[in-house]
Amino acid sequence: MIRVVAWRLLAVFCVALGMIGVVIPGLPTVPFLLVAAWAGTRGWPRLEAWLLNHPKYGPSIRDWREQGAVSRRAKCAASTMMLISIVLISLSGAHNSVKIAVPVFLCGTLLWLWRRPEPKK
């Protein structure tokens, strides 16, 4: 019973973060919904089904699950937001280690992201 509650709490938390990401630029939505669907398989099958059948986010979740694929549109959006983040960090008063570490991490993430296949129709 405690496990089910823990999985449900994780799923709800990730759905909440995903919904915040809908309105706050730069905060991703789909990755949080991927985690929510994953947690849903373990503790809340109805939530998982709802996420998989969602008209806007369901296809992205299914593409990731079935093919490990990310759409070109999502890759471009993520790349744009990461570039904006790098520019803002470089212009900020952040410590030099942050100005170096964050862009390096984001560039590694971009390399990984662009190596993911695109969904097959």
Side-chain angles (χ1 to χ4, degrees):
M1 180 63 172
I2 293 175
R3 276 190 191 171
V4 171
V5 172
W7 287 118
R8 285 184 176 202
L9 286 173
L10 177 61
V12 168
F13 179 68
C14 288
V15 167
L17 287 175
M19 293 304 105
I20 292 169
V22 169
V23 294
I24 295 181
L27 185 65
T29 299
V30 174
F32 289 117
L33 297 181
L34 287 170
V35 174
W38 173 76
T41 62
R42 286 146 181 81
W44 204 345
R46 283 184 59 195
L47 176 66
E48 177 198 21
W50 178 77
L51 288 169
L52 291 172
N53 294 312
H54 191 277
K56 184 170 183 175
Y57 302 110
S60 296
I61 295 169
R62 288 191 305 271
D63 288 342
W64 178 256
R65 279 189 168 184
E66 295 165 6
Q67 305 169 38
V70 179
S71 72
R72 182 167 299 223
R73 183 174 184 214
K75 290 176 184 180
C76 289
S79 298
T80 301
M81 294 312 296
M82 287 185 208
L83 179 61
I84 291 169
S85 297
I86 289 170
V87 169
L88 291 175
I89 287 169
S90 69
L91 296 174
S92 75
H95 192 273
N96 284 338
S97 62
V98 172
K99 289 183 177 184
I100 294 169
V102 170
V104 167
F105 176 78
L106 292 178
C107 286
T109 303
L110 281 174
L111 286 172
W112 174 84
L113 179 66
W114 281 93
R115 291 178 54 98
R116 303 302 319 149
E118 292 182 12
K120 294 178 178 70
K121 299 298 174 195

